[in-house]
């Protein structure tokens, strides 16, 4: 298995592979847990350099370099090698949605198989507005405040643990720098794959479907889940997400 993806369950008979691209500062483990609720699907989290077992590798701070390395390393149809090619889908949350988009564009440019569907979560479509204050100018405390404002999630656990804070903020700084430097890549021809836009009900999602529709010649739909930016972390929001994934992914027949 390539170091670029991790999984919880190996399912060689799965009807499809779902690749999950984490949010800024995020880890793949949060996403591969969905495998328990998605039988018949192999869920893989995209594991970026600079974190956990890849901590010794420099984190990417430019989208083009990240996408080139990822697409060069991963055979998305057949990540473990062997004779079976399986359909696959991309799910990306927040920053991960942009990485999923650019990875799909790079696959198209290389004339490789594309994901059957791209599911973009809690993220407006590019081009994005310029960043008001670059992350490189923020102290650790200011960065923690910015993360809390952007995600709606408290960062008290990082304030209380110096070692954890140092590692987590290094990931956040790299990912935020990547986001600040991001300029959308190839826009023509548009992607010929359907796009599902997911958003938390508490987010400012009104224009997102129309924005994402500009990046594909196929259908674009919007699903609104209960909750905020991390709607999938529990309760009805998680149920809404899993229902959307089950509808998007082929399921085994009896």
């Amino acid at each position: 298995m390539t170091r670029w993806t991790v999984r919880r369950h190996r399912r060689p008979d799965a009807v499809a592979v779902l690749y999950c691209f984490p949010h800024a500062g995020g880890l793949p483990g949060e996403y591969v847990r969905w495998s328990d609720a998605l039988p018949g699907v192999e869920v893989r989290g995209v594991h970026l350099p600079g974190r956990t077992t890849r901590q010794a590798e420099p984190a990417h701070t430019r989208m083009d370099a990240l996408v080139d390395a990822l697409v060069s390393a991963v055979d998305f149809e057949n990540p473990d090698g062997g004779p079976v090619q399986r359909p696959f889908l991309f799910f990306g949350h927040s920053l991960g949605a942009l990485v999923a988009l650019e990875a799909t564009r790079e696959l198209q440019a290389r004339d490789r198989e594309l994901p059957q569907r791209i599911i973009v979560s809690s993220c407006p479509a590019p081009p994005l507005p310029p960043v008001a204050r670059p992350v490189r100018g923020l102290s650790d405390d200011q960065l923690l405040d910015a993360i809390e404002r952007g995600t709606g999630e408290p960062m008290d656990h990082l304030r209380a643990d110096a070692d954890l804070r140092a590692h987590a903020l290094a990931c956040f700084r790299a990912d935020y720098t990547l986001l600040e430097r991001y300029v959308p890549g190839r826009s023509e021809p548009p992607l010929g794959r359907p796009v599902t836009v997911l958003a938390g009900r508490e987010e400012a999602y009104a224009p997102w479907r129309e924005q994402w529709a500009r990046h594909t010649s196929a259908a674009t739909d919007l699903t609104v889940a209960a909750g905020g930016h991390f709607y999938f972390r529990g309760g009805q929001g998680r149920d809404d997400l899993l229902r959307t994934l089950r509808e998007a992914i082929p399921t085994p027949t009896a």
Side-chain angles (χ1 to χ4, degrees), residues 88-107:
F88 62 95
L89 301 91
F90 283 170
F91 171 95
H93 182 69
S94 198
L95 172 63
L98 302 175
V99 181
L101 170 67
E102 294 301 333
T104 306
R105 285 175 166 164
E106 184 63 21
L107 288 170

Side-chain angles (χ1 to χ4, degrees), residues 101 104-105 108 113-118 187-195 212-220:
L101 170 67
T104 306
R105 285 175 166 164
Q108 180 169 268
E113 187 64 34
L114 303 185
Q116 287 194 336
R117 179 177 293 270
I118 307 163
S187 59
E188 296 294 339
L191 302 175
R193 289 292 189 269
V195 174
W212 280 102
R214 299 170 188 155
H215 293 275
T216 181
S217 59
T220 305

